[in-house]
Amino acid sequence: MHLAYPAVLAALLFCTGLYGVLARRNAILVLMSVELMLNAVNLNLVAFDVWLRDTLHAGQALTLFVIAVAAAEIGIGLAIVLMVYRDRGTSDVDRLRDSVESDATDAAAAESLEAESVEAGAAVPAKKAEATA
């Protein structure tokens, strides 16, 4: 079998996964797309390992390592998505990004109001001291 067949299939899988990461709004579908991309890489690793006839089978060993890392990534990723869903009530990536940006702007606005009130509070006693003198 030629190397071109699995390489083309891996490229199609990777492009499909990349489209899923860029176009999807649901965090779980984004994680599934990342897994699709990792499987495309695994397919390339095994295909090149067979094509090069490596005696150490480094491609297959690296594939097992990638599978283990992908399993850990999915476990942690799903735990994070579930915690965010429980906290915010949605797993929509755009809404989560907007809420983080609005929280940051709300915090910055609160800090600026606090700084203005401190400056105004310092100026008021000075004006009172001038008025009594």
Side-chain angles (χ1 to χ4, degrees), residues 21-87:
V21 167
L22 296 176
R24 296 292 176 191
R25 303 284 185 239
N26 192 345
I28 295 174
L29 291 177
V30 170
L31 287 174
M32 288 174 59
S33 298
V34 169
E35 287 296 319
L36 195 61
M37 292 167 61
L38 288 174
N39 285 329
V41 171
N42 287 340
L43 180 61
N44 267 335
L45 285 171
V46 171
F48 277 99
D49 183 55
V50 170
W51 184 65
L52 294 174
R53 298 177 189 198
D54 186 18
T55 57
L56 295 176
H57 299 293
Q60 294 178 16
L62 191 57
T63 298
L64 289 175
F65 179 72
V66 170
I67 290 171
V69 169
E73 175 250 337
I74 278 297
I76 293 172
L78 282 176
I80 291 171
V81 168
L82 286 174
M83 290 300 294
V84 168
Y85 181 77
R86 287 180 185 168
D87 185 39

Coordinates of all heavy atoms in Angstrom, one line a residue, residues 21-87:
V21 N -13.0 22.7 15.4 CA -12.5 23.6 16.5 C -12.8 25.0 16.2 O -13.2 25.8 17.1 CB -10.9 23.4 16.7 CG1 -10.3 24.5 17.5 CG2 -10.7 22.0 17.3
L22 N -12.7 25.4 15.0 CA -12.9 26.8 14.6 C -14.3 27.2 14.5 O -14.7 28.4 14.7 CB -12.1 27.2 13.3 CG -10.6 27.1 13.4 CD1 -10.0 27.3 12.0 CD2 -10.0 28.0 14.4
A23 N -15.2 26.3 14.1 CA -16.6 26.7 13.8 C -17.6 26.3 14.8 O -18.6 26.9 14.9 CB -17.0 26.0 12.5
R24 N -17.3 25.4 15.7 CA -18.2 24.9 16.7 C -18.3 25.9 17.9 O -17.4 26.6 18.2 CB -17.9 23.5 17.2 CG -18.0 22.5 16.1 CD -19.4 22.3 15.7 NE -19.4 21.3 14.6 CZ -20.5 21.1 13.9 NH1 -21.6 21.7 14.1 NH2 -20.4 20.2 12.9
R25 N -19.5 25.9 18.4 CA -19.8 26.8 19.6 C -19.8 26.0 20.9 O -19.5 26.5 22.0 CB -21.1 27.5 19.4 CG -21.2 28.3 18.2 CD -20.5 29.6 18.3 NE -20.7 30.5 17.2 CZ -19.7 30.9 16.4 NH1 -18.5 30.5 16.6 NH2 -19.9 31.6 15.4
N26 N -20.1 24.7 20.8 CA -20.3 23.9 22.0 C -18.9 23.4 22.4 O -18.1 22.9 21.6 CB -21.2 22.7 21.7 CG -21.6 22.0 22.9 OD1 -21.0 22.1 24.0 ND2 -22.6 21.1 22.8
A27 N -18.6 23.5 23.7 CA -17.2 23.1 24.2 C -17.0 21.6 24.0 O -15.9 21.2 23.8 CB -17.1 23.5 25.6
I28 N -18.0 20.8 24.2 CA -17.8 19.3 24.0 C -17.5 19.0 22.6 O -16.7 18.1 22.3 CB -19.1 18.6 24.6 CG1 -19.2 18.8 26.1 CG2 -19.0 17.1 24.2 CD1 -20.4 18.3 26.7
L29 N -18.2 19.6 21.6 CA -17.9 19.4 20.2 C -16.5 19.9 19.9 O -15.8 19.3 19.0 CB -18.9 20.0 19.3 CG -20.3 19.4 19.4 CD1 -21.3 20.2 18.5 CD2 -20.3 18.0 19.0
V30 N -16.0 20.9 20.5 CA -14.6 21.4 20.3 C -13.6 20.3 20.8 O -12.6 20.0 20.1 CB -14.4 22.7 21.0 CG1 -12.9 23.1 21.0 CG2 -15.2 23.8 20.3
L31 N -13.9 19.7 22.0 CA -13.0 18.7 22.5 C -13.1 17.4 21.6 O -12.0 16.8 21.3 CB -13.5 18.3 23.9 CG -13.2 19.3 25.0 CD1 -13.8 18.8 26.3 CD2 -11.7 19.4 25.1
M32 N -14.2 17.1 21.0 CA -14.3 16.0 20.1 C -13.5 16.3 18.8 O -12.8 15.4 18.2 CB -15.7 15.7 19.7 CG -16.5 15.1 20.8 SD -18.3 14.9 20.5 CE -18.2 13.9 19.0
S33 N -13.5 17.5 18.4 CA -12.7 17.9 17.2 C -11.2 17.8 17.4 O -10.4 17.4 16.6 CB -13.1 19.3 16.7 OG -14.5 19.4 16.4
V34 N -10.8 18.2 18.6 CA -9.4 18.1 19.0 C -9.0 16.6 19.0 O -7.9 16.2 18.5 CB -9.1 18.7 20.4 CG1 -7.8 18.3 20.9 CG2 -9.3 20.2 20.3
E35 N -9.9 15.7 19.5 CA -9.6 14.3 19.4 C -9.5 13.8 18.0 O -8.6 12.9 17.7 CB -10.7 13.5 20.2 CG -10.6 13.7 21.7 CD -9.4 13.1 22.3 OE1 -8.9 12.0 21.8 OE2 -8.8 13.7 23.2
L36 N -10.3 14.3 17.1 CA -10.2 13.9 15.7 C -8.9 14.3 15.1 O -8.2 13.6 14.4 CB -11.4 14.6 14.9 CG -11.6 14.0 13.5 CD1 -12.0 12.6 13.6 CD2 -12.8 14.8 12.9
M37 N -8.4 15.5 15.5 CA -7.1 16.0 15.0 C -6.0 15.1 15.6 O -5.0 14.7 14.9 CB -6.9 17.4 15.4 CG -7.8 18.4 14.7 SD -7.8 20.0 15.4 CE -6.1 20.5 15.3
L38 N -6.1 14.7 16.8 CA -5.0 13.8 17.4 C -5.1 12.4 16.8 O -4.0 11.8 16.5 CB -5.3 13.7 18.9 CG -4.9 14.9 19.8 CD1 -5.3 14.7 21.2 CD2 -3.4 15.2 19.7
N39 N -6.2 11.9 16.4 CA -6.3 10.6 15.7 C -5.7 10.7 14.3 O -5.1 9.8 13.8 CB -7.7 10.2 15.6 CG -8.2 9.6 16.9 OD1 -7.4 9.1 17.7 ND2 -9.5 9.8 17.2
A40 N -5.8 11.9 13.6 CA -5.2 12.1 12.3 C -3.6 12.0 12.5 O -2.9 11.4 11.7 CB -5.6 13.4 11.7
V41 N -3.1 12.6 13.6 CA -1.7 12.6 13.8 C -1.3 11.1 14.1 O -0.2 10.7 13.6 CB -1.3 13.5 15.0 CG1 0.1 13.3 15.5 CG2 -1.6 14.9 14.6
N42 N -2.1 10.4 14.9 CA -1.8 9.0 15.1 C -1.7 8.1 13.9 O -0.9 7.3 13.7 CB -2.8 8.4 16.1 CG -2.6 8.9 17.5 OD1 -1.5 9.4 17.9 ND2 -3.6 8.8 18.3
L43 N -2.6 8.4 13.0 CA -2.7 7.7 11.7 C -1.4 8.0 10.9 O -0.8 7.1 10.3 CB -3.9 8.1 10.9 CG -4.1 7.4 9.5 CD1 -4.2 5.9 9.7 CD2 -5.3 8.0 8.8
N44 N -0.9 9.2 10.9 CA 0.3 9.5 10.2 C 1.5 8.9 10.9 O 2.4 8.4 10.2 CB 0.5 11.1 10.2 CG 0.0 11.7 9.0 OD1 -0.1 11.1 7.9 ND2 -0.3 13.0 9.1
L45 N 1.5 8.9 12.2 CA 2.7 8.2 12.9 C 2.8 6.7 12.6 O 3.9 6.2 12.3 CB 2.5 8.4 14.4 CG 2.8 9.8 15.0 CD1 2.4 9.9 16.4 CD2 4.3 10.1 14.8
V46 N 1.7 6.0 12.6 CA 1.7 4.6 12.3 C 2.0 4.4 10.8 O 2.8 3.5 10.5 CB 0.3 3.9 12.7 CG1 0.2 2.5 12.2 CG2 0.2 4.0 14.2
A47 N 1.4 5.2 9.9 CA 1.7 5.0 8.5 C 3.2 5.2 8.2 O 3.8 4.4 7.4 CB 0.8 6.0 7.7
F48 N 3.8 6.3 8.7 CA 5.2 6.5 8.5 C 6.1 5.4 9.2 O 7.1 5.1 8.7 CB 5.6 7.9 8.9 CG 5.3 8.9 7.9 CD1 4.2 9.7 8.0 CD2 6.1 9.1 6.8 CE1 3.9 10.7 7.0 CE2 5.9 10.1 5.8 CZ 4.7 10.8 5.9
D49 N 5.6 4.9 10.3 CA 6.4 3.9 10.9 C 6.4 2.6 10.1 O 7.5 2.0 9.9 CB 5.7 3.5 12.3 CG 6.5 2.5 13.1 OD1 7.7 2.7 13.2 OD2 5.9 1.5 13.5
V50 N 5.3 2.3 9.5 CA 5.2 1.1 8.6 C 6.0 1.4 7.3 O 6.7 0.5 6.8 CB 3.8 0.7 8.3 CG1 3.7 -0.3 7.2 CG2 3.1 0.3 9.5
W51 N 5.9 2.6 6.8 CA 6.6 2.9 5.5 C 8.1 2.9 5.7 O 8.8 2.4 4.8 CB 6.1 4.3 5.0 CG 6.6 4.7 3.7 CD1 6.4 4.0 2.5 CD2 7.5 5.8 3.4 NE1 7.1 4.7 1.5 CE2 7.7 5.8 2.0 CE3 8.1 6.7 4.2 CZ2 8.6 6.7 1.4 CZ3 8.8 7.7 3.6 CH2 9.1 7.7 2.2
L52 N 8.6 3.4 6.8 CA 10.0 3.5 7.0 C 10.6 2.2 7.5 O 11.8 2.0 7.6 CB 10.4 4.6 8.0 CG 10.1 6.0 7.6 CD1 10.3 7.0 8.7 CD2 11.0 6.3 6.4
R53 N 9.7 1.2 7.9 CA 10.1 -0.1 8.4 C 11.1 0.0 9.6 O 12.2 -0.6 9.6 CB 10.7 -1.0 7.3 CG 9.7 -1.2 6.3 CD 10.2 -2.0 5.1 NE 9.2 -2.0 4.1 CZ 9.2 -2.8 3.1 NH1 10.2 -3.7 3.0 NH2 8.3 -2.7 2.2
D54 N 10.7 0.9 10.5 CA 11.5 1.1 11.7 C 11.5 -0.1 12.6 O 10.5 -0.7 12.9 CB 10.9 2.3 12.5 CG 11.8 2.7 13.6 OD1 13.0 2.4 13.7 OD2 11.2 3.4 14.5
T55 N 12.7 -0.5 13.0 CA 12.9 -1.8 13.8 C 12.4 -1.5 15.3 O 12.0 -2.4 16.0 CB 14.3 -2.3 13.8 OG1 15.2 -1.3 14.2 CG2 14.7 -2.7 12.4
L56 N 12.6 -0.2 15.7 CA 12.2 0.1 17.1 C 10.7 0.4 17.2 O 10.1 0.5 18.3 CB 13.0 1.3 17.6 CG 14.5 1.1 17.7 CD1 15.1 2.4 18.1 CD2 14.7 0.0 18.8
H57 N 10.0 0.6 16.1 CA 8.6 0.9 16.0 C 8.3 2.2 16.9 O 7.4 2.2 17.7 CB 7.7 -0.2 16.5 CG 7.8 -1.4 15.7 ND1 7.4 -1.5 14.3 CD2 8.4 -2.7 15.9 CE1 7.7 -2.6 13.8 NE2 8.3 -3.4 14.8
A58 N 9.1 3.2 16.6 CA 9.0 4.5 17.4 C 7.7 5.2 17.1 O 7.1 5.8 18.0 CB 10.2 5.4 17.0
G59 N 7.2 5.1 15.9 CA 5.9 5.7 15.5 C 4.7 5.1 16.3 O 3.9 5.8 16.8
Q60 N 4.8 3.8 16.5 CA 3.7 3.1 17.2 C 3.8 3.4 18.7 O 2.8 3.6 19.4 CB 3.8 1.6 17.0 CG 3.4 1.2 15.5 CD 3.5 -0.2 15.3 OE1 3.6 -1.0 16.2 NE2 3.6 -0.6 14.0
A61 N 5.0 3.5 19.2 CA 5.2 3.8 20.6 C 4.8 5.2 20.9 O 4.1 5.5 21.9 CB 6.7 3.6 21.0
L62 N 5.1 6.1 20.0 CA 4.7 7.5 20.2 C 3.1 7.6 20.0 O 2.5 8.5 20.7 CB 5.3 8.4 19.1 CG 5.2 9.9 19.3 CD1 5.7 10.3 20.7 CD2 6.0 10.7 18.2
T63 N 2.5 6.8 19.2 CA 1.1 6.8 19.1 C 0.4 6.4 20.4 O -0.6 7.0 20.8 CB 0.7 5.8 18.0 OG1 1.2 6.3 16.7 CG2 -0.8 5.7 17.9
L64 N 1.0 5.4 21.1 CA 0.5 5.0 22.4 C 0.6 6.1 23.4 O -0.3 6.3 24.2 CB 1.2 3.7 22.9 CG 0.8 2.4 22.1 CD1 1.7 1.3 22.7 CD2 -0.6 2.1 22.3
F65 N 1.7 6.8 23.3 CA 1.9 8.0 24.2 C 0.8 9.1 23.9 O 0.2 9.6 24.8 CB 3.3 8.5 24.1 CG 3.5 9.7 24.9 CD1 3.7 9.6 26.3 CD2 3.7 11.0 24.4 CE1 3.9 10.7 27.1 CE2 3.9 12.1 25.1 CZ 4.0 12.0 26.5
V66 N 0.6 9.3 22.7 CA -0.4 10.3 22.3 C -1.8 9.9 22.7 O -2.6 10.7 23.2 CB -0.4 10.6 20.7 CG1 -1.6 11.5 20.3 CG2 0.9 11.3 20.4
I67 N -2.1 8.6 22.6 CA -3.4 8.1 23.1 C -3.6 8.3 24.6 O -4.7 8.7 25.1 CB -3.6 6.7 22.7 CG1 -3.8 6.5 21.2 CG2 -4.8 6.0 23.4 CD1 -3.7 5.1 20.6
A68 N -2.5 8.1 25.3 CA -2.6 8.3 26.8 C -2.8 9.7 27.1 O -3.6 10.1 28.0 CB -1.3 7.7 27.4
V69 N -2.1 10.6 26.5 CA -2.2 12.0 26.7 C -3.6 12.5 26.3 O -4.2 13.3 27.0 CB -1.1 12.8 26.0 CG1 -1.4 14.3 26.0 CG2 0.2 12.5 26.6
A70 N -4.1 12.0 25.2 CA -5.5 12.4 24.8 C -6.5 11.9 25.8 O -7.5 12.6 26.0 CB -5.7 11.8 23.4
A71 N -6.4 10.8 26.3 CA -7.3 10.3 27.3 C -7.3 11.2 28.6 O -8.4 11.5 29.1 CB -7.0 8.8 27.7
A72 N -6.1 11.6 29.0 CA -6.0 12.5 30.1 C -6.6 13.8 29.8 O -7.3 14.5 30.6 CB -4.6 12.6 30.6
E73 N -6.4 14.3 28.6 CA -6.9 15.6 28.2 C -8.4 15.6 28.1 O -9.1 16.6 28.6 CB -6.3 15.9 26.8 CG -6.9 17.2 26.2 CD -7.8 16.9 25.0 OE1 -7.6 15.9 24.4 OE2 -8.6 17.8 24.7
I74 N -9.0 14.5 27.7 CA -10.5 14.4 27.6 C -11.0 14.4 29.0 O -12.1 15.0 29.3 CB -10.9 13.2 26.8 CG1 -10.9 13.6 25.3 CG2 -12.3 12.8 27.1 CD1 -11.8 14.7 24.9
G75 N -10.4 13.6 29.9 CA -10.9 13.5 31.3 C -10.9 14.9 32.0 O -11.9 15.3 32.6
I76 N -9.8 15.6 31.9 CA -9.7 16.9 32.5 C -10.6 17.9 31.8 O -11.3 18.8 32.4 CB -8.2 17.4 32.5 CG1 -7.4 16.5 33.4 CG2 -8.1 18.9 32.9 CD1 -6.0 16.7 33.4
G77 N -10.6 17.9 30.4 CA -11.4 18.8 29.7 C -12.9 18.7 29.9 O -13.6 19.6 30.1
L78 N -13.4 17.4 30.0 CA -14.8 17.2 30.4 C -15.1 17.7 31.8 O -16.2 18.2 32.0 CB -15.2 15.7 30.2 CG -15.4 15.3 28.7 CD1 -15.7 13.8 28.6 CD2 -16.5 16.1 28.1
A79 N -14.2 17.5 32.7 CA -14.4 17.9 34.1 C -14.5 19.4 34.1 O -15.4 20.0 34.8 CB -13.3 17.5 35.0
I80 N -13.7 20.1 33.4 CA -13.8 21.6 33.3 C -15.1 22.1 32.7 O -15.7 23.0 33.1 CB -12.5 22.2 32.6 CG1 -11.3 21.9 33.4 CG2 -12.7 23.6 32.2 CD1 -10.0 22.3 32.7
V81 N -15.4 21.4 31.6 CA -16.7 21.8 30.9 C -17.9 21.6 31.8 O -18.8 22.4 31.8 CB -16.8 21.0 29.5 CG1 -18.2 21.2 29.0 CG2 -15.8 21.5 28.5
L82 N -17.9 20.5 32.5 CA -19.0 20.2 33.4 C -19.1 21.2 34.6 O -20.2 21.7 34.9 CB -18.9 18.8 34.0 CG -19.3 17.7 33.0 CD1 -19.1 16.3 33.7 CD2 -20.8 17.8 32.6
M83 N -17.9 21.6 35.1 CA -17.9 22.6 36.1 C -18.4 24.0 35.6 O -19.1 24.7 36.3 CB -16.5 22.8 36.7 CG -16.1 21.6 37.6 SD -17.2 21.3 39.0 CE -16.8 22.7 39.9
V84 N -18.0 24.3 34.4 CA -18.4 25.6 33.8 C -19.9 25.6 33.5 O -20.6 26.5 33.7 CB -17.6 25.9 32.5 CG1 -18.2 27.0 31.7 CG2 -16.1 26.2 32.9
Y85 N -20.4 24.4 33.1 CA -21.8 24.3 32.8 C -22.6 24.4 34.0 O -23.7 25.1 34.1 CB -22.1 23.0 32.1 CG -23.6 22.8 31.7 CD1 -24.1 23.4 30.6 CD2 -24.4 22.0 32.5 CE1 -25.4 23.3 30.3 CE2 -25.7 21.8 32.2 CZ -26.2 22.5 31.1 OH -27.6 22.4 30.8
R86 N -22.2 23.8 35.1 CA -22.9 23.9 36.4 C -22.9 25.4 36.9 O -23.8 25.9 37.5 CB -22.3 23.0 37.4 CG -22.6 21.6 37.2 CD -22.0 20.7 38.2 NE -22.2 19.3 37.9 CZ -21.6 18.3 38.6 NH1 -20.8 18.6 39.5 NH2 -21.9 17.1 38.2
D87 N -21.7 26.0 36.7 CA -21.6 27.4 37.2 C -22.3 28.4 36.4 O -23.0 29.3 36.9 CB -20.1 27.8 37.3 CG -19.9 29.1 37.9 OD1 -20.5 29.4 38.9 OD2 -19.0 29.9 37.4

